[in-house]
């Protein structure tokens, strides 16, 4: 697995979820559960699947946390992702 691409997909999916919700942790979690898994022949499928699974697990386990804390837990700077 290419960890650089995995980290980029993690960030991309997280940014997409934040942009398409009302910026609450439960809303982001719900959005992440609705993201379809990449197709069988998708490029970088393993990295994409792992990124989606990591985000779903993190937000499912920490749905009661504030969004900025959940983002920090994933290793990202909330100031960069939350406008």
């Amino acid at each position: 697995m290419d960890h650089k691409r995995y980290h980029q997909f993690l960030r991309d999916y997280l940014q997409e979820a934040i942009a398409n919700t009302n910026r609450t942790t439960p809303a982001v979690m719900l959005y992440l559960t609705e993201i379809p898994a990449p197709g069988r022949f998708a490029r970088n499928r393993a990295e994409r699947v792992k990124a989606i699974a990591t985000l779903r697990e993190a937000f499912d386990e920490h749905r009661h946390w504030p969004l900025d804390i959940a983002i920090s837990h994933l290793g990202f700077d909330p100031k960069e992702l939350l406008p």
Side-chain angles (χ1 to χ4, degrees):
M1 176 164 32
D2 184 351
H3 290 284
K4 185 176 180 182
R5 288 187 188 198
Y6 160 73
H7 191 72
Q8 184 60 45
F9 288 130
L10 200 65
R11 182 183 182 90
D12 292 345
Y13 285 127
L14 185 56
Q15 282 180 321
E16 177 184 338
I18 292 169
N20 292 310
T21 61
N22 63 357
R23 296 187 181 134
T24 62
T25 306
V28 171
M29 184 198 67
L30 182 62
Y31 185 87
L32 291 169
T33 60
E34 295 173 353
I35 292 178
R40 183 175 181 178
F41 298 110
R43 270 204 167 128
N44 306 311
R45 183 177 188 278
E47 289 84 357
R48 290 175 188 264
V49 168
K50 179 70 174 167
I52 292 171
T54 300
L55 288 170
R56 286 178 180 168
E57 180 181 339
F59 278 90
D60 186 43
E61 291 177 0
H62 307 297
R63 72 179 82 184
H64 59 281
W65 288 5
L67 185 58
D68 57 338
I69 302 292
I71 291 171
S72 295
H73 176 72
L74 289 165
F76 295 107
D77 183 11
K79 294 176 187 174
E80 292 179 10
L81 297 175
L82 297 172

